[in-house]
């Protein structure tokens, strides 16, 4: 007898086509109805809470008096929660953010009971290739998802492509070899929605629904998802199931849950189950609705997200961890609070930028709040660390530069140092400021910790208001004189060094990296050509590339999908006049500013709004670009440091144009069938050619910090900070989207989003590095660009720490560090990272005075050996003081 598992649920997009509070109030109503059914209807047995725990917080925020009932139903196993905190977008958040979503989700679930043993991705816009490994490392062996695989149906034939399956159930293998059971919602997660209670309607409903499910099912266990986006509870589901059992005696219909369904399914899986590999991104489709263009919707969100992630992952947590070694109280609860705020911006309709304007305004507030918490922790940890450093040998004003990235840095840093102050209690503010302004600044020089003089550039001398907030006294306001300086540093990964500002005549420096239109150091020469493009020459390999070409096209699509108009007119910056000026010319860094004045259509034709109001599919739209044009000025600062092997770009523009897309292009002569990009916990290899069924003229893809195209001799890596969309063509061109401007949300109705036109000032950052046969150094460099150097000013004093030191070291050049934090139970330090290569490497990590064991992602000790990192392996290490290692299994 075939068994039909009816699972009551509602897909709870926290915010989307309505602002958060509109969705929030509907969640409250859903919980009230669910509680009523649990209390009064014995046939209503289970409810699946969409794989999340945050709806519990959202409900109890409004009705805290119902906490005992919610706890009761979870403990009874009727309300099924977790394993995630929120339903995130896979590709647009960091590797660590994906992991923290599970870590917090498991912890929140265990406050009430146990999480559902299923990785739940019903509506993510494609699925990351590392899903199998991530699931296995939190103790899950199955995942359910709605996108990414094309089921082939009755004929049980599977093509050679990696994105098809003959069944809705399949084996899913990650790049490291981890394997889980994948369950595709082949008929969507609404295939059992609104089950009729009328016999005639029920007969029609079930005839269709059963046939649809059986078309793809590999067993006699059929899954029916009773719910959909924000679906109100079907209160009479018990009666509807009873009617189905009456009408279909050859089937058994039950009100069920995922744990029971999966147990039955696994017991009956056929031997011919298919296998899918790595990323599941709907590549075996016509290509219009992979929704990868959400990576470029509202780019400002992606930039704010990277800044927020870096502030937590790479600054606050590492600094707090190292400060905790000398008495600083690790602020775990504050960090969890900041992470939760950040993750509330990570659902797919949020971080993807495909919601109404009100949603994304509130997101920016959350980003600011979370980043401010991280900034507070960073400053407190820096203060503690600098107070612990022995600066007694300094003769001048000491300050400390910290490199908390996983890559050594040789670059210029900007610091703002206080050299004098007058307290308000000693002088009226106006008089204090004028006194400091009138006081001449004596000549000075900068020395490193070896006493070597460092060249510098004085950017600004200023007198500003400031204040101290002592821990044991009232605030202290004052006026202070500051020097803003820029100078070169050379710091190992995870290290710090003390510098001092000393009154003395500085040594005269000679040499320059700049000519009228070029930058040059020992490794590279970057030349701005007469048409405004840039040629980069690698002086070691003699390879070159010409790029920095800006491309503007129409976009008559929406927040989900880019669609160029039928005219397909393309504007290139090389077709317009440009000017060049020198903006930095020192012995350690040079920078040129390239200004290009393009003339672009101001918008699409007015008929686009009518097409939008008619909810006309983007592929059928006829609107073209306006004949009215206006100047679009692009300013790009191109910089090269003395010891750098990459060229950095900061591009800014004031966007007053509508309905268009701006990209930067780097054409190459590299002939390759594939390219690579940083994704979640891996450097993924993707084809440059699209599939035979692909119809979309473009092939957008997701990236984290970089994309790379290479052959056996040479390569080009383009790094970025918060620019998540790129395209690589079969001809060898890398294009990165800088801005995409549209006027509607899209999807199932007409939702105008004027703020998605992204009017106003924008600044974007990216980099370019030519490589030889090895690419890894450029990968790490691009990742390191996202993590700024930070500094703390201090005084002369004794301390427990030396004036320069390295906190953490490791071997294995392809190890990409993603986390340094205190363990959740505060017993030891957690170090996590992944292997950039698809080959095993010898790998050791050293943390002074501590011994490491390998843990899973829930920080439970495993039997894995320290010292080896497998292909694309994500590894977590727990360091405890020597002699304190428990080789049994920890519990969270």
């Amino acid at each position: 007898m075939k068994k039909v598992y009816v699972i009551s649920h509602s897909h709870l997009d926290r915010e989307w086509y309505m602002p958060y509070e509109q969705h929030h109030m509907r969640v409250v109503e859903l919980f009230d109805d669910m509680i009523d059914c649990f209390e009064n209807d014995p046939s209503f047995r289970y409810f699946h809470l969409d794989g999340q725990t945050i709806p519990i917080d959202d409900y109890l925020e409004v009705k805290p008096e119902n906490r005992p009932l919610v706890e009761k139903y979870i403990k009874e196993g009727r309300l099924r929660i977790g394993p995630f905190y929120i339903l995130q977008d896979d590709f647009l958040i960091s590797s660590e953010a994906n992991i923290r979503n599970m870590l917090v989700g498991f912890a929140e679930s265990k406050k009430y009971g146990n999480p559902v043993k299923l990785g739940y991705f019903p509506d993510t816009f494609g699925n990351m290739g590392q899903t199998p490994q991530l699931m296995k490392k939190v103790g899950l062996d199955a995942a359910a998802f709605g996108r990414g695989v094309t089921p082939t149906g009755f004929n049980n034939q599977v093509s050679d492509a990696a994105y098809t399956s003959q069944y809705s159930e399949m084996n899913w293998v990650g790049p490291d070899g981890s394997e889980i059971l994948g369950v595709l919602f082949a008929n969507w997660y609404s295939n059992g929605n609104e089950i009729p209670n009328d016999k005639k309607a029920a007969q029609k409903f079930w005839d269709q629904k059963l046939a649809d499910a059986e078309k793809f099912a590999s067993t006699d266990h059929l899954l029916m998802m009773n719910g959909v986006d924000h679906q109100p509870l079907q209160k009479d589901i018990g009666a509807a199931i009873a009617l189905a059992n009456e009408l279909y005696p050859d089937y058994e219909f039950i009100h069920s849950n995922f744990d029971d369904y999966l147990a039955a399914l696994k017991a009956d899986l056929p031997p011919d189950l298919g296998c899918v590999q790595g990323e599941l991104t709907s590549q075996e489709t016509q290509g219009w609705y992979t929704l990868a263009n959400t990576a470029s919707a509202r780019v400002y969100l992606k930039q704010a997200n990277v800044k927020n992630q870096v502030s937590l992952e790479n600054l606050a947590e590492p600094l707090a961890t190292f400060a905790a070694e000398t008495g600083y109280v690790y602020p775990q609860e504050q960090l969890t609070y900041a992470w939760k705020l950040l993750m509330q911006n990570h659902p797919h309709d949020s971080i993807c930028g495909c919601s109404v304007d009100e949603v994304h305004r509130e997101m920016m507030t959350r980003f600011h709040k979370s980043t401010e918490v991280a900034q507070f922790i960073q400053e407190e940890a820096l203060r503690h660390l600098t107070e612990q450093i022995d600066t007694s040998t300094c003769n001048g004003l000491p300050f400390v530069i910290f490199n908390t990235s996983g890559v050594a840095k040789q670059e210029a840093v900007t610091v703002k140092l206080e050299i004098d102050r007058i307290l308000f209690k000693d002088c009226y503010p106006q008089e204090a400021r004028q006194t400091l302004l009138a006081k001449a600044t004596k000549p000075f020089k900068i020395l490193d910790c070896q006493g070597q003089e460092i060249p510098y550039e004085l950017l600004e001398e200023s007198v500003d208001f400031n204040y101290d907030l002592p821990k044991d006294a009232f605030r202290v306001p004052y006026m202070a004189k500051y020097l803003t300086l820029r100078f070169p540093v050379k710091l190992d990964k995870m290290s710090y060094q003390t510098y001092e500002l000393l009154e003395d005549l500085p040594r005269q420096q000679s040499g320059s990296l700049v000519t009228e239109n070029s930058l040059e150091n020992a490794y590279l020469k970057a030349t701005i050509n007469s048409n405004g493009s840039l040629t980069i020459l690698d002086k070691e390999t003699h390879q070159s590339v010409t790029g920095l070409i800006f491309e503007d096209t129409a976009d008559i699509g929406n927040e989900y999908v880019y669609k160029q108009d039928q005219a397909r007119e393309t504007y290139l910056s090389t077709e317009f006049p440009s000017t060049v000026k020198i903006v930095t010319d020192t012995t350690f860094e040079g920078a040129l500013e390239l200004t290009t004045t393009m003339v672009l259509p101001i918008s699409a034709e007015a008929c686009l709004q009518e097409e939008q109001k008619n909810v006309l599919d983007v592929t059928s739209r006829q609107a073209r670009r306006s004949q009215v044009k206006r100047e679009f000025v692009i300013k790009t600062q191109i910089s090269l440091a003395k010891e750098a092997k990459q060229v950095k770009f900061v591009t800014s523009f004031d966007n007053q144009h509508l309905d268009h897309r701006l990209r930067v292009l780097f054409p190459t002569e590299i002939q390759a069938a594939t390219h690579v990009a940083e994704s979640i916990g891996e450097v993924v290899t993707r084809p440059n050619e699209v599939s035979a069924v692909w119809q979309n003229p473009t092939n957008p893809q997701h990236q984290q910090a970089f994309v790379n195209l290479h052959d056996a001799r040479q390569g080009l890596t383009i790094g970025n900070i918060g620019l998540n969309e790129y395209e690589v063509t079969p001809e060898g061109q890398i294009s990165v989207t800088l801005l995409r401007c549209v006027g509607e949300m899209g999807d199932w109705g007409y939702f105008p989003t004027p703020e998605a036109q992204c009017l106003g000032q924008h600044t974007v950052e990216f980099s370019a590095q030519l490589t030889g046969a090895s690419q890894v150094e450029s990968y790490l460099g691009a990742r390191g660009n996202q993590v700024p150097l930070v500094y703390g000013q201090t005084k002369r004093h004794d301390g427990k720490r030396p004036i320069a030191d390295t906190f953490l070291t490791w071997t294995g050049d392809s190890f990409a560090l993603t986390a340094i934090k205190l363990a959740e139970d505060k017993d030891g330090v957690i170090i996590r990272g992944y292997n950039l290569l698809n080959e095993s490497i010898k790998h050791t990590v050293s943390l002074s005075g501590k011994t490491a064991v390998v843990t899973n992602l829930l920080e439970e000790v495993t039997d894995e050996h320290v010292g080896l990192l497998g292909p694309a392996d994500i590894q977590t290490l727990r360091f405890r003081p020597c002699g304190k290692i428990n080789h049994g299994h920890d519990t969270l």
Side-chain angles (χ1 to χ4, degrees), residues 313 405 600 688 801 881:
E313 297 171 21
S405 77
L600 306 174
N688 297 340
R801 290 185 176 275

Side-chain angles (χ1 to χ4, degrees), residues 399-402 409-416 446 454-457 459 484-491 499 588-589 641 648 788-791:
F399 59 99
V400 188
I401 310 291
F402 293 84
K409 293 206 172 193
Q410 298 184 63
E411 62 185 50
V413 64
T414 300
V415 300
K416 185 176 181 180
I446 299 175
I454 306 297
Y456 67 85
E457 180 182 14
L459 300 179
T484 302
L485 307 167
R486 190 164 177 83
F487 61 95
V489 298
K490 184 177 181 179
L491 286 170
Y499 296 79
F588 55 87
E589 184 180 43
K648 294 184 179 180
L789 297 171
V790 293
Y791 67 96

